[in-house]
Amino acid sequence: DQTRGSAPYAQFTVQGTDLIRGEVTSNAYLAPAYVLDERGEGLLAELGWGAPTYRRGDEPDRGSANFHVDLPRSYADRLAAMAIRALRDVWSVPHPAFLTAETADEELPDLGLPAPAEPEPANALEVGYPVDADDLQRLVDASLTPVFGHPPEKDADGDIPVRSGNTLLFVRVRRDSPVVEVLAPLVRDITGRTRAAEVVADLNRGSSLTKFVLMDDTVFAVVALPARPFVPAHLRDMLALMFQTAHDHDDDLAKRLQGRRIVADAEPTIETSESLDEDVRDDADADDDDESNELAPELLTLLQLDPDGEGSVDAATAASVCGHDRDLILRLLRESEEQQIAWRTSADTDAADRDRDEAEACRHEASGWGRTIETLRGALRLVFSESVPPRASD
C-alpha cells in the first residue's frame, strides 16, 4: 500500500548470468511503525548494505531507493546471511516462520540454495479452544514448533525460552487462567530501586499493551495474551512485539538505571519463577525484604494523590495521610529531600552527557519532589500548631 507504507522486506533479483541484487527496505517505503532510526541505518551499513542512491519518485540510477548490494551468485550464502541479520537485528524478526515469501515468477530461479522446507500443515495452526492449562500448553508448543524446527524446550520453571540475536524472551502458560504470557527481561543489576520504580511507572503510563515490572534488581516487560480461543498468529505477533520492545528499551534502561542489559548468550538462565506472576497480577513493585530502598507507604500515597507533581495536595490532606504524626512527617521530608537531590544530580549528569531530553525529565522530577517537600512542610506546621496549647486568656 503506497499510502500506508510497507512492512520490512528483503528482495532479490538475478542480474545477467552471474550477479544477484539484494535489497532491504529503506524509509522511502517503510510504514511509520517500522521507520529506521539512525541506529538502524547504521547497523545496515555495518552489515554491508549500500545506502540508497536516490529518493522515491526521483529518476532511478544504477543504485536503488532501498539499501542494496550486488554480489556474484557464488556469494549467495553471504547475501542470505546479510538479509537474515538485517531482518533479525534491525527489525527484530525472530525466525523465518514470521515471514511470508513471494516471487514474480512461477518458479524461483536456481540460486544454488537448498530447496525450501515444506510448509507446516494448516491444521497445526488452527484456532484452538483449550479446556485447561495442559491443553493450552500443547497448543502453544504446537504453534512454536515451526519456529524452532522441533518441539520447544522448556526451562526448570516450564517456560519456553525464545532467542533472537542477543535478545531473550520467555513464553509461559498461566496455570490459573487461559492466558499466555510473553516476558522479556530487559536490564538487571540496577542501582536505586526507588528511581527504577518511578521509571517503570512512567513506562507503564505510556504503554497500552506491554506492562513493565520491577522485580528485585531486574526490569521485565510482560504482555498477557488471552488464549480462549488460542490463535497461533496472535502469539507470533506478541513475540514480534516483545522483541521490538526489548530492542527499543533495553539500552536506554541500562543507561538510565545504571544496570546491565541482558544478553541472551551471556545470560542463559534468568529467574522467572512464580513470584514474577505475583508481581504482574498484584502490580507490586516493592521487595519486602529490602525496605530501606523503598518509599514509605504514606509518601507513595501522596505521590498517587498528585501524580503529576503539581502540588495539588494541601497541607491538611498530607497531615491526614501521615496520621498527624510529626516524626513521620519529618522522616518523609528527609526522604523527599534525598529524592530531590538524586534527581538534580541525575539531571546534571545527563546535561553533561548532552542528553537534553533525559536531563529535562530529571529536572521535572526534581521539581515535583520540591513541591512535595513544600506540602510536607505545610503539614508539619499544621501538626505543630495543633500540638501547641491555646494561650490562656487574661
Side-chain angles (χ1 to χ4, degrees), residues 301-325:
T301 300
L302 294 176
L303 295 178
Q304 290 296 323
L305 292 174
D306 185 20
D308 297 324
E310 297 177 349
S312 58
V313 177
D314 59 30
T317 300
S320 177
V321 168
C322 297
H324 294 259
D325 185 332

Side-chain angles (χ1 to χ4, degrees), residues 25-63:
T25 343
S26 73
N27 286 341
Y29 298 101
L30 286 168
Y34 304 107
V35 166
L36 293 162
D37 56 15
E38 184 176 343
R39 174 187 175 189
E41 292 182 333
L43 182 53
L44 288 176
E46 291 176 10
L47 293 175
W49 294 98
T53 57
Y54 60 89
R55 293 180 297 181
R56 184 177 181 178
D58 290 350
E59 184 70 24
D61 56 25
R62 298 186 65 178

Side-chain angles (χ1 to χ4, degrees), residues 154-159:
K154 300 180 178 67
D155 63 15
D157 297 317
D159 302 334

Side-chain angles (χ1 to χ4, degrees), residues 173-228:
V173 171
R174 289 264 290 268
R175 307 302 299 181
D176 60 344
S177 57
V179 171
V180 178
E181 292 177 338
V182 181
L183 304 92
L186 301 177
V187 291
R188 68 187 312 172
D189 298 337
I190 61 173
T191 59
R193 279 181 50 83
T194 297
R195 185 184 183 192
E198 295 185 351
V199 170
V200 165
D202 287 340
L203 289 172
N204 283 326
R205 280 194 288 270
S207 176
S208 57
L209 291 178
T210 307
K211 178 177 177 58
F212 295 86
V213 178
L214 173 62
M215 180 182 176
D216 297 329
D217 66 348
T218 304
V219 176
F220 291 81
V222 185
V223 65
L225 176 65
R228 184 166 175 83

Side-chain angles (χ1 to χ4, degrees), residues 374-387:
E374 291 303 314
T375 299
L376 288 169
R377 285 174 178 164
L380 183 63
R381 286 192 292 269
L382 179 62
V383 171
F384 179 76
S385 66
E386 291 172 346
S387 64

